[in-house]
Amino acid sequence: MAAGGKIFEKDKIKKRNNLALKKRARSITAFVLAVLVFLSLGRVGWIMGVHGDEYRSKAERNQLYDTELKAVRGTIYDRNMTPLVTSSSAWIFCADPYEIKKYFASENETERLWKEYVEYLSKNIAQILSLKKKDVKKSLIDSEKSYVRLAKKVDANRRLALDKFLEEKHVYGYYDSGEEKTVIAKPFFSYENDTLRLYPENNFASTIIGVTDSDGKGISGVEIYYNDQLSGRNGRQVTAKNSIGQALDSSYESVFDAQQGNGVVLTIDSNIQYYLENALNHALDSTKAKGVYGIVMEVDTGRVLAMSNKPDFDLNDPRKLVSKSARKDLKELEGTENYASKLTEELFKQWNSYCVTNNYEPGSTFKIFTLAAALEEGAVNKNTTYTCCGYYRVANDTVIHCANTAGHGFQTLTQGLMNSCNPFFINIGQTLGIQTYYKYFEAFGFTERTGIDLTGESYPVYHPAEKRGLVELASTSYGQSFRVSPIQMITAACAIANGGKLMKPYVVDGIVDTQGNIVSKNEPTVRRQVVSQSTAAQVREMMEAVVEGGTGKNAYIEGYRVAGKTATSEKLDTTDDPNDYIASFLCFAPANDPEVAVLVGVDEPPGVYRGGGVLAAPIAKEVLESTLKYLNVEPQYTKDELASISSKTPDLCSQEVYSAKVAAANEGFSVKIVGNGNTVVSQVPAAGQSIPEGGVIVIYTEDNSKTQVVKVPSFIGMTAGEANRTAIASGLNIVFSGPSQSAGAKVVKQSVETGTELEAGSSITVVFQATANMDD
């Protein structure tokens, strides 16, 4: 028993030792594994920290490749569906810098050759795409990247040039055998779909249309206001790439098509916009003013038919600053931290519509609203009179002078408006009182924005209720000491023209899809009735008198009844020069049944002081006359106009000379005979042509008679009598336009240039302008 027990004890000890050894082994194994895991994690962390970008770039080349397909931006049309802005296919030009370097590494070439090749690529690509070489090189030299965008909006012509270059063999060295070492760049580059905005008319309606950024999103004008409609919806193309970055076959591809944006139809009529821009360009050139602006509006609806300010910018090069003063200011800031913010500020100032975003003191055009308020309240009537002595004393201590410092003397209400008499209208404002006057000031919309569908509309600046005293009332009554925008002024004037309704102005008529189907439509919106139809009609009648014989006579158009008001307003709070001013003219026609309104302003004209009646009224007349004729508004001539307008020439051909002379004389024409024949074989002007009464008809009595040619004289600076005598002496017919019978009126423009050779009997139109008694 004792021996067996010892053996048993030994076995037990042996087993315990074995168990201990196993536990120790497991512990050591676990420790070793823990150390290995720790070291592995540390290695992974080190790799990701030091070489993370490299491995991430390699992984990217073995993943799905997701490309955004740009939606074609919608077309912008004028109201006649004439495209003003379109979009076309373009491309984003991309490069794979990693593959470029990899190519040279695989060929066991030196880094020097790789850098030389990048230099070669950068130079040529920059030249084709009009980019800076250093920017292209910076992208291509970054060999850690397998994808960079070098340029957006690449058009078809530049893509052709790129493709030609990329397909050329470039020699970068020679093998020992003497064979050339060449590389073709095309595999390193690719294209993605993009769109390009096209502006075929350059500056045309640029501040209305607006600008898009590099991603094709609107940032001003209609482009930003209707961006959601125009943008459409981008699509996507998902493809798989293999280990070397090449796309796999189409079975791995998914395409989600882009959706083109809707079209925007403007209220702008291209023809009327052309009339306005043409007149403003001529005015800017002739007056040398800081700027000019204008609006044409449909009075019953608030539709803006045309709107522009000059100088403006080219939509195809919107980031080129037009303003000389802005360029000068920026030059002084070059290299400073303020340069970028100043450039952005000046660009947006350039892109914005002056008529919507800028305020000015309206001056005497505002008197029509003072007049309307007083008539509506019964504070004045047509029989109201006032004697102007050249100034008005307000609250016994403030003296405000009239433009006519000698005084206009005794005037009726209509004459007060015709003369643009400040004291008369101060007196009307004082009669109304502060509370009543500002009730109409607010009703006409001068304390709020109009709500036009363009961004950046300015708020009016006016006297707050607690600061409205008799002096503030006096200056407001004739249009000074507050500021409103041009769009506010013409919108309020349309309320006078249309019978008292204040409309909401708008520049977009509706939205259409790609097939031309109407998606949505903007309708005219009446904001409120401001004055009665009777009051509006009375104001229109008095405004018509302003054009017939007052300060607005340079807007007179034969056959059309024009109602208007002139203004010459000081820029009291917006300039350092107290002599700076804005000359403006506000009108609508026909006065008895208005269809369109026109507002024109000339900002800071230099030189001799000239008011709105001299500077702005002729511009507005040109735009209004062209617009009325284009809209087929029937002219209605007065008896006096009918007596002086052109008559149609009779048919004198085949008549004997004596009979022809008698027939012409019976119609009020004289005859000039060319040739020795007895019968008329031809005549100039031809039968049925319009020439003035008393004009000359040249008759030819022989088939081989030599055509009589005369040189056109200069009529500039002549009175009506002088111009008529000169025309007769030259063998020409002359047609008068403008206030030819007004005191001091002289010719300022003629339809045919001096020295031009014309056939005798031809007609020339001369335009008259009045300058006497035009202070407003």
Side-chain angles (χ1 to χ4, degrees):
M1 291 291 293
K6 287 180 179 179
I7 291 171
F8 179 75
E9 285 297 327
K10 287 180 179 179
D11 288 341
K12 287 177 67 177
I13 292 169
K14 186 177 181 179
K15 287 179 179 178
R16 282 198 299 270
N17 289 338
N18 287 339
L19 287 170
L21 285 171
K22 287 180 180 179
K23 286 181 179 180
R24 192 176 298 115
R26 281 197 295 269
S27 298
I28 292 170
T29 301
F31 175 76
V32 170
L33 287 172
V35 170
L36 289 173
V37 169
F38 176 78
L39 290 173
S40 297
L41 291 173
R43 174 66 176 173
V44 170
W46 179 79
I47 289 172
M48 293 305 293
V50 177
H51 296 286
D53 290 341
E54 176 185 347
Y55 284 99
R56 192 177 298 113
S57 179
K58 289 179 179 179
E60 285 174 358
R61 290 191 290 277
N62 293 280
Q63 294 177 353
L64 290 177
Y65 187 57
D66 190 355
T67 304
E68 186 175 57
L69 303 177
K70 286 279 188 179
V72 175
R73 195 167 176 83
T75 299
I76 298 178
Y77 304 90
D78 82 339
R79 73 170 184 165
N80 300 314
M81 295 303 291
T82 301
L84 300 179
V85 185
T86 59
S87 291
S88 69
S89 295
W91 295 270
I92 300 170
F93 184 51
C94 310
D96 188 340
Y98 175 85
E99 289 294 330
I100 296 173
K101 187 171 185 181
K102 181 181 172 183
Y103 176 88
F104 284 90
S106 66
E107 294 290 322
N108 296 318
E109 299 297 343
T110 65
E111 186 165 305
R112 176 183 62 82
L113 287 176
W114 163 63
K115 288 184 178 179
E116 286 179 357
Y117 187 53
V118 168
E119 183 79 16
Y120 164 77
L121 291 174
S122 302
K123 176 184 175 182
N124 285 275
I125 291 170
Q127 185 175 5
I128 294 170
L129 296 177
S130 300
L131 299 173
K132 291 181 179 178
K133 176 187 164 186
K134 65 176 183 179
D135 293 336
V136 178
K137 183 177 179 180
K138 183 179 179 181
S139 296
L140 295 181
I141 207 75
D142 190 354
S143 60
E144 293 297 319
K145 292 182 178 178
S146 60
Y147 172 81
V148 292
R149 287 182 169 185
L150 296 179
K152 298 179 180 179
K153 314 294 181 188
V154 177
D155 61 25
N157 289 333
R158 286 186 170 177
R159 175 163 181 172
L160 285 173
L162 281 170
D163 287 343
K164 182 179 178 182
F165 165 68
L166 297 177
E167 290 169 1
E168 292 175 353
K169 287 184 178 180
H170 171 64
V171 178
Y172 64 90
Y174 296 89
Y175 292 104
D176 293 340
S177 63
E179 184 182 353
E180 292 179 340
K181 294 183 177 181
T182 62
V183 60
I184 296 176
K186 192 170 184 178
F188 309 135
F189 296 89
S190 62
Y191 297 97
E192 294 176 4
N193 288 334
D194 200 1
T195 61
L196 184 66
R197 208 67 167 143
L198 301 176
Y199 306 95
E201 300 298 329
N202 301 320
N203 294 53
F204 192 73
S206 58
T207 56
I208 299 173
I209 291 168
V211 177
T212 57
D213 63 16
S214 59
D215 293 322
K217 296 178 181 178
I219 53 178
S220 72
V222 167
E223 291 278 23
I224 186 173
Y225 199 94
Y226 289 91
N227 185 67
D228 290 345
Q229 291 287 350
L230 289 163
S231 294
R233 189 175 65 193
N234 289 342
R236 308 204 75 77
Q237 182 179 26
V238 182
T239 54
K241 296 176 68 177
N242 61 21
S243 60
I244 60 172
Q246 295 174 330
L248 300 178
D249 63 61
S250 58
S251 63
Y252 292 90
E253 181 179 86
S254 296
V255 178
F256 304 92
D257 291 332
Q259 235 178 36
Q260 183 173 339
N262 286 326
V264 169
V265 183
L266 303 181
T267 60
I268 302 300
D269 188 301
S270 289
N271 292 294
I272 300 174
Q273 182 75 19
Y274 170 78
Y275 301 147
L276 177 63
E277 293 201 20
N278 188 53
L280 293 181
N281 279 324
H282 180 264
L284 185 67
D285 182 60
S286 61
T287 65
K288 309 302 180 186
K290 177 183 177 182
V292 291
Y293 60 84
I295 310 173
V296 182
M297 184 177 285
E298 200 172 67
V299 301
D300 286 331
T301 63
R303 291 190 186 99
V304 177
L305 302 179
M307 181 163 64
S308 181
N309 54 269
K310 302 290 181 179
D312 55 6
F313 65 96
D314 186 346
L315 286 163
N316 290 302
D317 193 10
R319 286 162 180 80
K320 178 182 178 181
L321 280 176
V322 176
S323 169
K324 291 181 180 179
S325 61
R327 293 200 301 269
K328 180 182 177 183
D329 292 344
L330 275 168
K331 190 170 182 61
E332 294 174 357
L333 291 174
E334 282 182 354
T336 70
E337 60 181 11
N338 296 324
Y339 180 85
S341 60
K342 179 65 175 177
L343 175 60
T344 301
E345 176 190 333
E346 292 296 340
L347 283 174
F348 273 96
K349 190 185 297 184
Q350 173 173 286
W351 296 336
N352 286 333
S353 171
Y354 180 98
C355 297
V356 174
T357 62
N358 287 57
N359 287 336
Y360 75 115
E361 295 185 66
S364 293
T365 49
F366 199 80
K367 289 171 182 172
I368 64 174
F369 306 113
T370 300
L371 176 60
L375 287 168
E376 186 75 6
E377 287 292 319
V380 296
N381 58 50
K382 283 188 176 182
N383 298 319
T384 298
T385 61
Y386 178 80
T387 300
C388 170
C389 59
Y391 66 91
Y392 192 100
R393 189 179 297 277
V394 183
N396 297 322
D397 59 358
T398 300
V399 175
I400 300 176
H401 292 279
C402 186
N404 184 346
T405 54
H408 291 108
F410 180 84
Q411 302 168 100
T412 64
L413 187 60
T414 300
Q415 289 171 333
L417 188 67
M418 291 170 66
N419 294 329
S420 198
C421 178
N422 286 349
F424 201 150
F425 280 85
I426 294 172
N427 186 65
I428 292 174
Q430 301 290 306
T431 302
L432 276 171
I434 296 171
Q435 188 171 349
T436 301
Y437 185 87
Y438 279 96
K439 179 180 75 173
Y440 287 93
F441 186 89
E442 182 176 345
F444 273 110
F446 295 117
T447 61
E448 61 189 347
R449 298 192 293 183
T450 66
I452 190 172
D453 47 346
L454 287 172
T455 56
E457 182 180 6
S458 61
Y459 284 95
V461 179
Y462 56 94
H463 302 293
E466 66 274 12
K467 293 186 178 179
R468 295 173 186 168
L470 292 178
V471 174
E472 289 74 24
L473 174 60
S475 57
T476 302
S477 299
Y478 62 92
Q480 292 284 173
S481 78
F482 66 96
R483 298 198 301 277
V484 294
S485 66
I487 194 67
Q488 281 181 299
M489 280 297 291
I490 195 169
T491 301
C494 284
I496 300 292
N498 66 26
K501 300 186 299 291
L502 185 68
M503 306 302 295
K504 179 181 178 180
Y506 58 106
V507 297
V508 168
D509 197 53
I511 308 297
V512 295
D513 63 20
T514 54
Q515 304 302 313
N517 301 309
I518 297 173
V519 175
S520 63
K521 192 168 178 61
N522 288 333
E523 298 293 344
T525 302
V526 180
R527 295 165 66 190
R528 54 184 165 268
Q529 186 79 25
V530 183
V531 294
S532 66
Q533 291 187 16
S534 173
T535 293
Q538 290 181 75
V539 177
R540 291 198 301 268
E541 185 180 340
M542 294 184 206
M543 291 175 68
E544 188 177 2
V546 172
V547 175
E548 287 178 346
T551 57
K553 59 176 70 78
N554 284 324
Y556 167 75
I557 305 171
E558 294 85 351
Y560 293 105
R561 295 171 61 179
V562 179
K565 184 67 191 78
T566 58
T568 309
S569 52
E570 297 171 299
K571 301 179 69 173
L572 299 176
D573 299 325
T574 58
T575 180
D576 296 329
D577 190 340
N579 295 316
D580 285 344
Y581 66 97
I582 293 178
S584 63
F585 185 70
L586 178 60
C587 62
F588 44 79
N592 56 321
D593 187 17
E595 293 196 24
V596 291
V598 176
L599 172 64
V600 166
V602 181
D603 187 13
E604 295 186 21
V608 178
Y609 185 88
R610 295 163 291 171
V614 175
L615 284 178
I619 306 168
K621 173 207 170 172
E622 180 182 340
V623 176
L624 185 59
E625 184 173 14
S626 297
T627 300
L628 292 171
K629 291 178 179 178
Y630 166 70
L631 295 175
N632 293 317
V633 177
E634 193 71 27
Q636 298 175 336
Y637 295 102
T638 65
K639 288 183 179 180
D640 290 340
E641 288 172 339
L642 285 171
S644 62
I645 62 174
S646 302
S647 301
K648 293 189 181 298
T649 54
D651 186 357
L652 305 179
C653 290
S654 300
Q655 295 188 37
E656 291 184 356
V657 172
Y658 176 78
S659 299
K661 291 174 65 176
V662 172
N666 289 338
E667 298 290 336
F669 301 115
S670 60
V671 169
K672 181 176 182 180
I673 304 169
V674 178
N676 299 313
N678 296 319
T679 305
V680 178
V681 295
S682 64
Q683 67 180 75
V684 177
Q689 298 298 305
S690 294
I691 63 173
E693 287 189 9
V696 61
I697 302 173
V698 179
I699 59 175
Y700 294 89
T701 62
E702 295 174 354
D703 287 329
N704 59 353
S705 296
K706 186 177 180 181
T707 301
Q708 294 288 297
V709 175
V710 297
K711 281 191 175 181
V712 176
S714 173
F715 296 97
I716 303 301
M718 292 184 180
T719 64
E722 291 169 342
N724 194 47
R725 288 191 293 272
T726 302
I728 293 171
S730 301
L732 295 167
N733 290 300
I734 191 167
V735 178
F736 292 168
S737 177
S740 59
Q741 303 306 313
S742 294
K746 293 183 178 181
V747 177
V748 294
K749 190 188 298 184
Q750 60 189 69
S751 61
V752 181
E753 289 185 8
T754 302
T756 303
E757 291 189 343
L758 292 179
E759 193 170 353
S762 299
S763 294
I764 293 178
T765 299
V766 294
V767 180
F768 288 86
Q769 191 175 107
T771 56
N773 302 319
M774 301 293 285
D775 292 335
D776 52 19

